[in-house]
Amino acid sequence: MKSIIVMLGPPGAGKGTQAKVLAEKLALPHVSSGDLFRDNLKAQTELGKLAQSYMDRGELVPDDVTIAMVRDRLEKADTAQGAVLDGFPRTPPQASALDAMLAELGGEVKAVPYISVPSEVLVERLGGRWSCRAQGHVFHEKYNPPRVPGKCDFDGSELYQRDDDRLTTVERRIRVYVDQTAPLIDYYRERGLLMEIDGTKPIEQVSQQLLQAVA
Ligand code: ADP
Ligand code: ADP
């Protein structure tokens, strides 16, 4: 039986940062749809090439391919007990598809931490984000700097700034979030699963709120 935690929140809210903390605590894999697309891009798969044009523009990759990719991941043995989903679902059809696939594979959404952060903060967070090439660890040049600049604390791989973290693309991504993803707040609230977390606090305090809410 899979226990699924869905991390919800705008781009830059801290979903990835907190998903890593939660995944370790619950001993579940961290499944990031953005990382899965970027892995495909690195490997130059057909899926990666298709996704790239959408990602570059800050738009969502079409639901059908996104759903198929996540389903594949949730069929892997390491997710038998569940997963911390980060970046999926991002549209109402993806949320329904997740419910349907869990009914089939055996599992359910247990909790949906919603990390809320106002837009003006997001721009600064994403502008200073440095991501690791190997495993998607993230740092911030001001709020969470790596011990050695340009190098991941956890796996030593190179840190880089994502092309889609540039201001114009960030603004587009925030608009896309408001239009297409924010409706999921009500979707999960109606199901009694939503846990609102104040994402403006420092990283450790957000982790504490989150662990209290989900434990
Ligand atoms: P998301 O996955 O929601 O896009 P990330 O976890 O990648 O967000 O965080 C975006 C950026 O903000 C990263 O540079 C990260 O280090 C930084 N960050 C995350 N949480 C906080 C926080 N609570 N306070 C300040 N900076 C944060
Ligand atoms: P963020 O850290 O800002 O939350 P992600 O790494 O989750 O960003 O996503 C980067 C890009 O990958 C998105 O802008 C979108 O193009 C694509 N993407 C990721 N997850 C999804 C999804 N569930 N549905 C459609 N597109 C997605």
Side-chain angles (χ1 to χ4, degrees), residues 41-119:
L41 196 58
K42 215 170 6 180
Q44 284 291 299
T45 67
E46 287 306 311
L47 173 63
K49 288 182 211 162
L50 178 119
Q52 180 170 31
S53 55
Y54 295 96
M55 296 172 83
D56 284 348
R57 280 180 280 138
E59 282 168 13
L60 296 183
V61 181
D63 282 336
D64 53 349
V65 290
T66 303
I67 291 164
M69 175 182 76
V70 172
R71 190 194 163 98
D72 261 13
R73 184 68 189 84
L74 291 180
E75 285 178 349
K76 299 248 156 70
D78 66 327
T79 66
Q81 302 302 315
V84 179
L85 288 187
D86 160 19
F88 182 92
R90 245 177 166 100
T91 63
Q94 290 181 17
S96 319
L98 176 63
D99 288 341
M101 78 176 84
L102 290 174
E104 210 184 303
L105 300 173
E108 59 185 8
V109 176
K110 290 284 187 198
V112 181
Y114 161 47
I115 307 183
S116 83
V117 175
S119 303

Side-chain angles (χ1 to χ4, degrees), residues 12 17 27 93 101 127 180:
T17 301
M101 78 176 84
Q180 302 191 52

Side-chain angles (χ1 to χ4, degrees), residues 10-12 15 32-35 37-38 54-55 58-61 66 86-90 94 126 129 162 164 173:
K15 299 182 298 297
S32 154
S33 47
D35 286 350
F37 283 129
R38 283 183 290 274
Y54 295 96
M55 296 172 83
E59 282 168 13
L60 296 183
V61 181
T66 303
D86 160 19
F88 182 92
R90 245 177 166 100
Q94 290 181 17
L126 295 174
R129 172 159 71 180
R162 280 168 44 180
D164 62 341
R173 285 159 62 204

Side-chain angles (χ1 to χ4, degrees), residues 10-17 125 129 138-140 143 199 201-203 206:
K15 299 182 298 297
T17 301
R125 290 225 184 142
R129 172 159 71 180
V138 294
F139 298 86
H140 191 282
Y143 303 118
K201 299 276 187 317
I203 293 175
V206 176

